[in-house]
Amino acid sequence: MRWRRVTVRGPSMSPALSDGDVVLVRCGAPVRAGDVVLVTWDSRPGQLSVKRAVRPDGAGWDVRGDNPFGSTDSATLGPARVRAVARLRLWPRPGRIPAPRH
C-alpha cells in the first residue's frame, strides 16, 4: 500500500474539510463506514473526489459529502469506487479528520 497527498477542492466536505486542505491518503487500505475516502465514478472517468463512506453498495460504496447543500455524490452518481482512505489532515491544521456533524 502506498501513501499520497491529496488537496481537497470545493465545499462538499465542509465543515470537516475545507477547500485547500491537504490530506494524507492510503491507497488500497480497507474501508469502513464513516471513513473519508478518495473515490472515482464510472460516469466521470478521471475525476477524483473526497467523500465520506456510508455503506458498501454492490461492487462500490455509497458515499456522501458532509455538506448536503454543496456535494455531488452517490445520491446523484450512484456507487463510487474507493481508491484510497484518508488518514490525516496535513495542512492547514494537522491532525485527525473530524467526524461528521449530525
Side-chain angles (χ1 to χ4, degrees):
M1 288 188 258
R2 67 177 204 255
W3 295 90
R4 180 176 172 187
R5 285 178 295 180
V6 174
T7 302
V8 176
R9 292 290 173 221
S12 72
M13 288 303 294
S14 177
L17 295 169
S18 299
D19 184 60
D21 284 4
V22 178
V23 296
L24 183 66
V25 301
R26 188 158 193 193
C27 300
V31 183
R32 296 183 313 238
D35 283 346
V36 173
V37 292
L38 182 68
V39 301
T40 60
W41 281 276
D42 290 341
S43 62
R44 292 191 173 176
Q47 176 182 324
L48 294 171
S49 297
V50 176
K51 304 294 177 187
R52 195 168 300 269
V54 176
R55 66 183 158 277
D57 186 349
W61 274 81
D62 181 34
V63 297
R64 300 279 187 243
D66 285 358
N67 176 359
F69 304 106
S71 181
T72 302
D73 49 36
S74 290
T76 303
L77 301 171
R81 296 181 191 275
V82 174
R83 302 300 182 187
V85 177
R87 295 295 185 206
L88 297 169
R89 177 179 26 229
L90 298 175
W91 189 88
R93 296 172 313 279
R96 297 190 67 188
I97 299 169
R101 293 184 193 170
H102 295 287

